[in-house]
Amino acid sequence: MVSSYMVTILIFLLPCLLWRYYSVDEAIEDGIAPVPLSPNRTVDVQCIIDIMDHLLACEATWHKGHSLAQTVFACIYLLRPERTASHPLLHSYCRVIRATCNAVVSVVSEARTHEEEDIFTMTYGLPLKVDGDDKGLSLLHAVEETISRQLRACKASSSKRRSVEDTEPLQTNPDLEEGYCKALLCRIRFHKHFYHVLTCMRRPQGKGLELARKHITSCLLELDNILKTLEFLRSNKCGTCEDGQENTTTASGCPPIGFDAGLNARLSAPTPPRTIKILSWRKAVEYFQKLLNDLDTICSFSLDPLLDEVFRFVVEFQKSRPDLVARAHLQLLLVKDGKLYGRDSMFAAISKAASLPEIMMNHEIQKTEAFVQLEQLVINLIKVLSTNAAWQRRKLGKILQDWRVIYIQLELVSSRDFGAASSISISEGDYMKISQCILLWVEEQTYWISTRFLVLGFELELYSPNEYCMVYWYINILLMKLIEKTHLKLLTGSEVAKRKVKKKKDSAKDSIRDFLIPPAVLLLRCHMYLSEGLTMMLAALRNDLNTFSSPGPFNTENERFVQHFELLLRASVPEHMSYLSFSEQISQACLSNLGRYNYFRDAQKILKELKGSFSNDQERMAELRRLEHVAEHNSVAVNLISRLGALEPSLKVSFEFIHHPYFATAVVKRC
């Protein structure tokens, strides 16, 4: 009888047993990657198109986190660059593929976002850089011009065709010439423009973003043209085709020649032994469409010098769930050489965000140790916000302690360490003013990071419905603190802006303006009312109907409270938080008071006011509409629950994230 241990070993070794070749030379000798691809020129062109399509699918699969050795470099033509020299089209295309892969590895390695997926940047000694690859683009351009001339010859009338008779056709069937020319051109042009996108986005200080957007537009156009070739290639395919056309890695549906996914696993020890599934050709095209749209969003950013706007842009960008390559480009654009966009000093950016007078933004105080540490914390925060949701939440929880420590250090410096700062020629008044403004901003960011840490838990589905009440309760308190600090910071900024001499007739207008609440604060208030409303609704349901309160089989509610908020409690954000204060506050909630204190109506009033303030901001308007749906539906649910909850025990209430990723919507049903 075969033991389970032997079965496990056999399963692990099964991919190894299925490998056909033990070296690249052996595979070539067996004819797996012939040059030319076929003595029949029509078949040769068809095979090249299949190779291009499969390489596109391999690139997309690699971008998704799989091994480079088992995806793109499963192509034997890429492993032996010298063999394709006699085939200009295949040779130039392989050079551009290698150059593109090298550019992607470079940007992801420099951004260090590959920590999420270490396997992405491992090159396993593959020929990623080959002498002459820098000329691959010019060679590909020459091939493109040749095919373009042939396409024009196909379209020319009989009278004009004589002038282009010297143009050699791609293949032997004149009826298929135009279709094959179009299929090749759109694939060549896509990779040419995609390489330009990658190089333009790497230019320092965002100087290549405008040109990159033009290439992105061209890439998207060529992807549409690639999709249009599907019918032609399917109807004129050669050879045997794979079952299930939707899952094939080529437009024609035929398997490509010149690939062996297990070869590198045999030759290179670090290569994972497991087999992987390559994305289908259609899904690969969809991936690149999304990637290009994400890159276009990055390129459209105005490079705003305000850190608050930078944070907001990154958070909004993350809502589209961008993949690794797009996030790496975003991070390198925002932070380069320790500067914002590679041009603005981080201290100047912090000073502007903290509403410091402009004259103090480049002060020598930035050289002190505490302020140098603060600059590094801001750089780390931008990098963390550029990672995927799971990694981001993990890192945000860890850096909370650092932000709390730097706040304490700055507080100590501002209160008793002016003597140390006197060596950098600054008056005591200016020193205290800078310190207090920076302190306020640091405190504001600490509460913002804490709020971000908690709301990401909803996106990652880390909370059960029984825990929503405590989470919204904690978020509500954080928002109250955040509103206080944000409003105080904005008031400080407005006071700095009004340091000029004013006429007496303007004093009445100024006093009225001082009482107006800034839109940013109003939006935070709206969030606060929504979280408070959800807290009270959930608390009333658990108190009166005994729902959303059942403890888990392994730990108590107190233990779950500590588990979810341990990092915040350890950093004392905010101070004096405990499970006891939570249980005491929600114990008074009841269904009869829900309608009387309907916080969702207050949120609706604020949202109406905000529409005028954000009318020119499409993203903010979309967010307001989402919040409005939550407030409207929950307001109706509160009225319904408060009237019928105690009378109808069969009433069932559930909470779903159908309108907003962080604020739940109550769904009321009769069982």
Side-chain angles (χ1 to χ4, degrees), residues 224-405:
D224 288 338
N225 291 335
I226 288 173
L227 288 172
K228 292 175 183 176
T229 64
L230 176 64
E231 186 177 348
F232 170 79
L233 294 173
R234 287 272 168 94
S235 59
N236 295 286
K237 58 193 174 187
C238 65
T240 58
C241 295
E242 300 173 0
D243 296 331
Q245 297 286 346
E246 292 302 318
N247 296 321
T248 58
T249 59
T250 61
S252 68
C254 300
I257 63 171
F259 288 83
D260 188 335
L263 187 58
N264 287 316
R266 175 65 177 170
L267 298 176
S268 178
T271 306
R274 67 184 184 277
T275 57
I276 62 172
K277 183 174 176 60
I278 302 296
L279 288 176
S280 70
W281 174 76
R282 190 176 290 277
K283 286 185 178 179
V285 172
E286 290 172 357
Y287 165 79
F288 276 102
Q289 286 174 330
K290 185 181 185 305
L291 172 62
L292 289 162
N293 284 319
D294 288 338
L295 293 178
D296 188 61
T297 301
I298 295 171
C299 293
S300 65
F301 185 47
S302 60
L303 305 190
D304 197 305
L306 282 175
L307 276 177
D308 294 342
E309 288 302 311
V310 172
F311 296 155
R312 189 174 76 85
F313 173 78
V314 177
V315 170
E316 285 296 322
F317 178 71
Q318 289 280 29
K319 288 180 181 178
S320 67
R321 305 231 175 145
D323 285 295
L324 181 64
V325 176
R327 287 186 278 105
H329 278 93
L330 173 63
Q331 187 192 124
L332 286 185
L333 171 65
L334 298 178
V335 179
K336 183 74 174 177
D337 300 327
K339 294 182 178 180
L340 190 64
Y341 313 123
R343 71 179 187 210
D344 303 332
S345 94
M346 202 55 72
F347 181 79
I350 294 170
S351 301
K352 194 163 188 176
S355 302
L356 276 177
E358 196 167 335
I359 194 172
M360 298 181 184
M361 289 186 183
N362 295 311
H363 210 286
E364 290 184 356
I365 194 175
Q366 63 185 293
K367 298 176 183 177
T368 60
E369 184 180 355
F371 285 98
V372 170
Q373 290 178 4
L374 178 59
E375 289 180 19
Q376 190 58 51
L377 277 182
V378 174
I379 291 171
N380 291 341
L381 177 58
I382 293 174
K383 290 182 177 181
V384 168
L385 292 174
S386 302
T387 58
N388 65 41
W391 191 269
Q392 181 184 155
R393 189 177 191 274
R394 193 180 310 121
K395 290 292 187 180
L396 285 177
K398 290 181 179 179
I399 67 173
L400 260 178
Q401 190 73 32
D402 298 332
W403 279 81
R404 190 62 179 170
V405 169

Side-chain angles (χ1 to χ4, degrees), residues 371-514:
F371 285 98
V372 170
Q373 290 178 4
L374 178 59
E375 289 180 19
Q376 190 58 51
L377 277 182
V378 174
I379 291 171
N380 291 341
L381 177 58
I382 293 174
K383 290 182 177 181
V384 168
L385 292 174
S386 302
T387 58
N388 65 41
W391 191 269
Q392 181 184 155
R393 189 177 191 274
R394 193 180 310 121
K395 290 292 187 180
L396 285 177
K398 290 181 179 179
I399 67 173
L400 260 178
Q401 190 73 32
D402 298 332
W403 279 81
R404 190 62 179 170
V405 169
I406 198 67
Y407 175 82
I408 295 171
Q409 288 179 351
L410 289 169
E411 194 174 33
L412 290 172
V413 165
S414 65
S415 61
R416 70 182 187 186
D417 206 21
F418 171 70
S422 59
S423 60
I424 54 176
S425 65
I426 182 174
S427 68
E428 185 174 0
D430 285 346
Y431 182 78
M432 294 299 293
K433 190 179 299 180
I434 291 174
S435 298
Q436 291 302 320
C437 287
I438 297 292
L439 268 175
L440 181 61
W441 183 79
V442 169
E443 202 168 9
E444 179 197 13
Q445 297 313 307
T446 304
Y447 289 125
W448 183 84
I449 293 168
S450 304
T451 307
R452 178 74 182 157
F453 170 78
L454 288 183
V455 298
L456 278 172
F458 290 112
E459 183 178 330
L460 296 168
E461 300 180 357
L462 300 181
Y463 312 125
S464 69
N466 296 335
E467 297 164 341
Y468 289 171
C469 186
M470 69 172 71
V471 176
Y472 281 121
W473 174 81
Y474 211 115
I475 289 174
N476 179 52
I477 293 175
L478 287 173
L479 286 171
M480 284 193 287
K481 296 288 186 180
L482 181 58
I483 289 168
E484 177 190 343
K485 303 305 175 184
T486 303
H487 201 177
L488 189 56
K489 183 197 73 174
L490 293 174
L491 287 175
T492 304
S494 64
E495 286 176 8
V496 171
K498 291 188 294 183
R499 292 289 168 86
K500 298 179 181 179
V501 179
K502 295 183 178 181
K503 297 180 181 179
K504 291 183 179 180
K505 63 179 181 180
D506 293 334
S507 60
K509 295 180 181 179
D510 293 334
S511 61
I512 294 172
R513 195 181 297 114
D514 289 342

Side-chain angles (χ1 to χ4, degrees), residues 428-664:
E428 185 174 0
D430 285 346
Y431 182 78
M432 294 299 293
K433 190 179 299 180
I434 291 174
S435 298
Q436 291 302 320
C437 287
I438 297 292
L439 268 175
L440 181 61
W441 183 79
V442 169
E443 202 168 9
E444 179 197 13
Q445 297 313 307
T446 304
Y447 289 125
W448 183 84
I449 293 168
S450 304
T451 307
R452 178 74 182 157
F453 170 78
L454 288 183
V455 298
L456 278 172
F458 290 112
E459 183 178 330
L460 296 168
E461 300 180 357
L462 300 181
Y463 312 125
S464 69
N466 296 335
E467 297 164 341
Y468 289 171
C469 186
M470 69 172 71
V471 176
Y472 281 121
W473 174 81
Y474 211 115
I475 289 174
N476 179 52
I477 293 175
L478 287 173
L479 286 171
M480 284 193 287
K481 296 288 186 180
L482 181 58
I483 289 168
E484 177 190 343
K485 303 305 175 184
T486 303
H487 201 177
L488 189 56
K489 183 197 73 174
L490 293 174
L491 287 175
T492 304
S494 64
E495 286 176 8
V496 171
K498 291 188 294 183
R499 292 289 168 86
K500 298 179 181 179
V501 179
K502 295 183 178 181
K503 297 180 181 179
K504 291 183 179 180
K505 63 179 181 180
D506 293 334
S507 60
K509 295 180 181 179
D510 293 334
S511 61
I512 294 172
R513 195 181 297 114
D514 289 342
F515 284 105
L516 296 177
I517 301 175
V521 176
L522 281 176
L523 184 58
L524 288 174
R525 276 194 181 183
C526 176
H527 290 170
M528 183 191 70
Y529 284 134
L530 290 175
S531 59
E532 191 166 6
L534 284 164
T535 302
M536 299 311 294
M537 192 194 307
L538 286 158
L541 288 168
R542 61 184 276 167
N543 290 341
D544 289 1
L545 300 182
N546 200 30
T547 56
F548 303 106
S549 61
S550 57
F554 303 110
N555 51 12
T556 64
E557 187 176 59
N558 189 357
E559 290 171 331
R560 295 203 304 274
F561 184 93
V562 174
Q563 288 168 0
H564 283 306
F565 310 124
E566 180 182 5
L567 295 173
L568 284 80
L569 295 171
R570 194 185 302 168
S572 299
V573 183
E575 295 179 340
H576 313 302
M577 296 289 283
S578 67
Y579 173 74
L580 181 61
S581 57
F582 160 69
S583 57
E584 285 178 352
Q585 287 188 28
I586 67 165
S587 63
Q588 304 301 319
C590 58
L591 294 176
S592 58
N593 289 334
L594 274 184
R596 193 181 311 166
Y597 303 108
N598 193 332
Y599 297 100
F600 301 111
R601 280 201 296 262
D602 296 330
Q604 284 178 293
K605 292 176 184 177
I606 292 176
L607 288 167
K608 288 180 181 178
E609 294 180 39
L610 285 173
K611 285 182 179 178
S613 303
F614 298 133
S615 56
N616 295 325
D617 190 332
Q618 292 183 355
E619 289 181 356
R620 283 281 180 87
M621 288 299 293
E623 173 69 6
L624 293 183
R625 284 191 292 271
R626 288 191 290 267
L627 294 173
E628 199 169 32
H629 286 311
V630 174
E632 182 181 353
H633 284 79
N634 283 344
S635 182
V636 173
V638 162
N639 293 330
L640 189 61
I641 293 168
S642 61
R643 285 190 292 106
L644 303 177
L647 300 175
E648 294 194 23
S650 61
L651 207 64
K652 183 180 179 182
V653 183
S654 61
F655 289 85
E656 300 174 8
F657 297 91
I658 51 180
H659 298 301
H660 197 276
Y662 312 138
F663 294 108

Side-chain angles (χ1 to χ4, degrees), residues 172-189:
T172 55
N173 190 338
D175 297 330
L176 303 178
E177 185 74 4
E178 183 177 344
Y180 282 128
C181 285
K182 288 180 178 179
L184 284 171
L185 281 174
C186 58
R187 285 160 173 79
I188 290 170
R189 287 169 178 167

